[in-house]
Amino acid sequence: MKVHYKMPASLEGIVRIDMALHKQHDATLQDYMGFYISFNNDEDRYYCTPDDAIIFGRTGADGDHFAFFTFNRSISDLEEAPVIFIQPTAFGNQVTLVARNLKDFVALFINLKEVYVLERFRFYKNKLDFINDYNNNYMEDIRMRESDYNLIIDLLKENITGIAEIDDVYEYMIESRKQIDLGINNEDFA
């Protein structure tokens, strides 16, 4: 039996932003944040999407999508659910924890201005690896699109209440992965 979840208020704010971008700038959230809204859409599921994951967005590349992880439906308020990133083509690493909840996911984007770097934390041996990878692979594009990022960040801050600032992204990701065990063996999908 499929459980129907109510769209969390933070995601409703993101949907409002997406509609405003479309109306005012003839653009979508994907143009600014790198993903499309796709709430609870079973058509976006892949073989490696956990059964208890509630999809809320997709990147448009290789089936990659974001979801709320509900721990076998034990989390009823999706505002509190951890955010996972599912990458069907990342064999052995298809499901990755990327944030403790949606507001933290937004805070991480505000800090990093990029969502794909969140899945790369499994590669970093230390904070310097993270900083070097971020500077070498993302900073040039971020600098070129600075005005776009400023626009979307202002809209996120205006439309979503309670976004906490995350000063040390590396520490946040390491601690989150220590604190939250998804209980998923990615090797089962290989």
Side-chain angles (χ1 to χ4, degrees):
M1 181 175 106
K2 183 175 178 178
V3 176
H4 291 283
Y5 280 90
K6 180 180 183 272
M7 183 181 287
S10 297
L11 189 56
E12 288 175 353
I14 293 172
V15 169
R16 281 192 304 275
I17 292 168
D18 191 43
M19 291 178 356
L21 289 171
H22 184 69
K23 190 175 189 177
Q24 297 168 7
H25 301 280
D26 197 29
T28 67
L29 193 68
Q30 200 280 336
D31 297 313
Y32 293 87
M33 285 184 75
F35 73 93
Y36 301 91
I37 303 295
S38 178
F39 182 67
N40 209 7
N41 185 348
D42 283 338
E43 292 177 17
D44 289 330
R45 286 189 173 279
Y46 279 76
Y47 71 97
C48 56
T49 306
D51 292 339
D52 57 347
I54 307 300
I55 297 168
F56 71 85
R58 58 186 173 77
T59 67
D62 297 328
D64 294 355
H65 53 288
F66 294 96
F68 300 107
F69 192 74
T70 65
F71 292 98
N72 294 317
R73 312 272 188 247
S74 66
I75 296 176
S76 58
D77 181 357
L78 294 180
E79 287 285 354
E80 304 302 320
V83 174
I84 57 175
F85 189 37
I86 300 106
Q87 296 176 282
T89 60
F91 301 108
N93 293 297
Q94 291 92 334
V95 180
T96 305
L97 174 71
V98 293
R100 293 180 190 140
N101 55 55
L102 185 57
K103 287 182 183 180
D104 282 4
F105 177 75
V106 171
L108 290 165
F109 174 80
I110 288 170
N111 189 306
L112 297 170
K113 299 169 186 72
E114 169 62 48
V115 293
Y116 264 100
V117 73
L118 296 173
E119 62 89 22
R120 297 176 59 84
F121 276 81
R122 69 178 175 271
F123 300 121
Y124 307 138
K125 291 179 179 41
N126 54 50
K127 192 173 188 174
L128 186 58
D129 283 354
F130 159 64
I131 292 168
N132 287 337
D133 181 54
Y134 183 76
N135 289 337
N136 293 335
N137 294 304
Y138 299 100
M139 281 306 295
E140 183 177 340
D141 185 55
I142 290 168
R143 282 189 196 108
M144 289 183 348
R145 299 186 59 213
E146 188 172 354
S147 63
D148 288 347
Y149 288 119
N150 290 338
L151 171 67
I152 194 68
I153 288 168
D154 288 344
L155 289 170
L156 289 166
K157 289 178 178 179
E158 290 169 13
N159 286 277
I160 301 171
T161 59
I163 300 172
E165 195 167 310
I166 297 174
D167 294 322
D168 189 333
V169 171
Y170 181 81
E171 191 63 30
Y172 171 91
M173 293 301 289
I174 297 305
E175 287 304 309
S176 295
R177 292 181 179 186
K178 285 180 188 174
Q179 295 168 3
I180 300 172
D181 180 5
L182 299 175
I184 293 174
N185 183 357
N186 275 300
E187 299 303 318
D188 291 342
F189 303 124

